[in-house]
Amino acid sequence: MRHSFLLFVALLLLGAAAPSARAQAPADTARLLMLGPVVGEVVDAQEKATYGFFPYYSTDNFAEGRLYQALRPDSAVTLLAQLRDGTVRRRRIGAAELQSIRAAVPRPAPAPAGTRPAAPTRAATPDSVGTMYAVELVTGSSFMGTLLATRPAELEFTTRDLGRLVVQRTNIRNMQPLTVTQAGRGWEPVGNGTRIFFAPTARMLRKGEGYIQDINVFVLGGNYGITDNISIGALVPVIPGAGVSFVALTPKVGVPVNDKLNLAAGVLFATGFGSSGGIAYGAGTYGTADQNATLGLGYLFAEGDIESSPVVLVGGATRISRRLSLLNETYFYSGGLGGLVGLRVAAARLSGSLGFLYLSELGTIFPAYLEAAYRFGKVK
């Protein structure tokens, strides 16, 4: 019975402690750089040819380019170039090249003598203006745009398709900063990169953010961010008394170490199958919400005993299109290894995942994990 329960806890953990996201805006959140009033935020093919920008791309195949920088002032600048053949190229821009680009941009003519300068129209904070956001309105519609100005009752954005938009703050349900890759490709955030399938990552839910999930029809789970560094969750059977009886609690704490590295620790405590126990774990995650890798270590405990051999997790996720991500999580344990490999299809709030189980003892792979999840909460 003890061995069966420990196996149950091991499988349950790998997702129970999962839901989470970074406490702060992602470190690679994109600030769109302005090249001055003459060029603006987007460099088109004509401007590239006129001012000699980006000589490593052919003018005939160049559609437009944007320069992005992470929120930290000393962060590197990235050029995202859209080519006419449909491809998107990403290139790091050094400080010397950025200086030469800005030097090539002509300055507007000075105002005639005696002309009174226009009064400023923007009341904005340095850490938000110029950042690209995915904005969800209370009506259910959404858009992606660059924040131009913040005012007491409204925000002003510029969008690629709709031009300038002024939105009342009370009409905004959710507003999340975009990473450099998301901004360049037109991808809205579809998750916080906080779990693979079952496996927790080291990223944390923001305060007031969470989601609920249904796993394999019969298991219902949920997690919620109490603070930016603490979350709590639970797993219960969808139909109590239907042959699957357990309750699991999943507290978790975590901190960001630097731009892309996060550390977290948590406990899964479960009662079921006539016994109780759980697993204490630690994890480190490197990467962004869309592209990340996780290394975790957990020790099972039950009835006062602790397993001497840990379960080691090696996993990761990579987003390959606007809606699709590929996932893998592998567990190394005493006597073998196993895990899940598959994919997730996600929209802004809803997602679905399909995982295929592989075990070294069986030597085969078969579908074993089906999940639907709904994200909720207002990100400020």
Side-chain angles (χ1 to χ4, degrees), residues 201-217:
T201 73
R203 299 168 68 91
M204 298 300 299
L205 283 167
R206 300 178 181 93
K207 180 180 179 180
E209 186 179 29
Y211 69 80
I212 57 175
Q213 59 183 159
D214 182 89
I215 304 172
N216 288 346
V217 180

Side-chain angles (χ1 to χ4, degrees), residues 99-110:
Q99 184 177 1
S100 67
I101 291 173
R102 285 178 163 161
V105 177
R107 297 180 179 275

Side-chain angles (χ1 to χ4, degrees), residues 76-343:
V77 174
T78 299
L79 165 65
L80 282 173
Q82 178 74 47
L83 305 183
R84 294 187 185 276
D85 60 12
T87 60
V88 176
R89 299 292 177 83
R90 181 171 176 167
R91 183 183 178 92
R92 176 101 17 127
I93 301 295
E97 182 179 358
L98 179 62
Q99 184 177 1
S100 67
I101 291 173
R102 285 178 163 161
V105 177
R107 297 180 179 275
T115 302
R116 186 177 181 179
T121 58
R122 297 179 182 176
T125 56
D127 62 343
S128 59
V129 171
T131 300
M132 292 195 70
Y133 288 92
V135 182
E136 182 182 2
L137 305 179
V138 294
T139 59
S141 60
S142 61
F143 65 89
M144 286 178 283
T146 302
L147 183 62
L148 291 181
T150 67
R151 304 184 184 97
E154 63 188 22
L155 300 177
E156 182 179 352
F157 299 88
T158 180
T159 68
R160 184 171 183 176
D161 300 321
L162 303 174
R164 292 200 176 195
L165 295 177
V166 177
V167 183
Q168 297 298 309
R169 290 180 181 267
T170 55
N171 291 334
I172 296 177
R173 179 185 181 188
N174 191 31
M175 183 172 157
Q176 294 191 55
L178 301 181
T179 66
V180 172
T181 300
Q182 291 169 347
R185 296 180 176 178
W187 293 354
E188 72 273 29
V190 294
N192 297 314
T194 61
R195 61 191 175 93
I196 310 172
F197 288 110
F198 277 125
T201 73
R203 299 168 68 91
M204 298 300 299
L205 283 167
R206 300 178 181 93
K207 180 180 179 180
E209 186 179 29
Y211 69 80
I212 57 175
Q213 59 183 159
D214 182 89
I215 304 172
N216 288 346
V217 180
F218 299 108
V219 179
L220 184 65
N223 273 252
Y224 183 76
I226 300 174
T227 72
D228 287 343
N229 301 98
I230 302 174
S231 67
I232 186 66
L235 289 170
V236 296
V238 173
I239 308 176
V244 180
S245 179
F246 66 87
V247 176
L249 297 178
T250 59
K252 179 182 175 183
V253 297
V255 294
V257 176
N258 56 33
D259 285 355
K260 292 187 177 181
L261 179 62
N262 293 265
L263 299 178
V267 175
L268 165 69
F269 179 79
T271 178
F273 301 95
S275 186
S276 63
I279 184 167
Y281 69 91
T285 298
Y286 183 83
T288 66
D290 295 333
Q291 317 283 343
N292 56 75
T294 294
L295 176 65
L297 186 71
Y299 282 88
L300 293 160
F301 61 88
E303 308 300 334
D305 294 330
I306 301 176
E307 289 289 287
S308 58
S309 299
V311 176
V312 178
L313 162 70
V314 177
T318 180
R319 187 173 177 182
I320 61 174
S321 72
R322 183 181 181 188
R323 300 295 184 205
L324 184 64
S325 296
L326 301 181
L327 316 173
N328 179 70
E329 57 188 49
T330 300
Y331 305 98
F332 299 88
Y333 51 89
S334 177
L337 63 87
L340 290 166
V341 62
L343 55 87

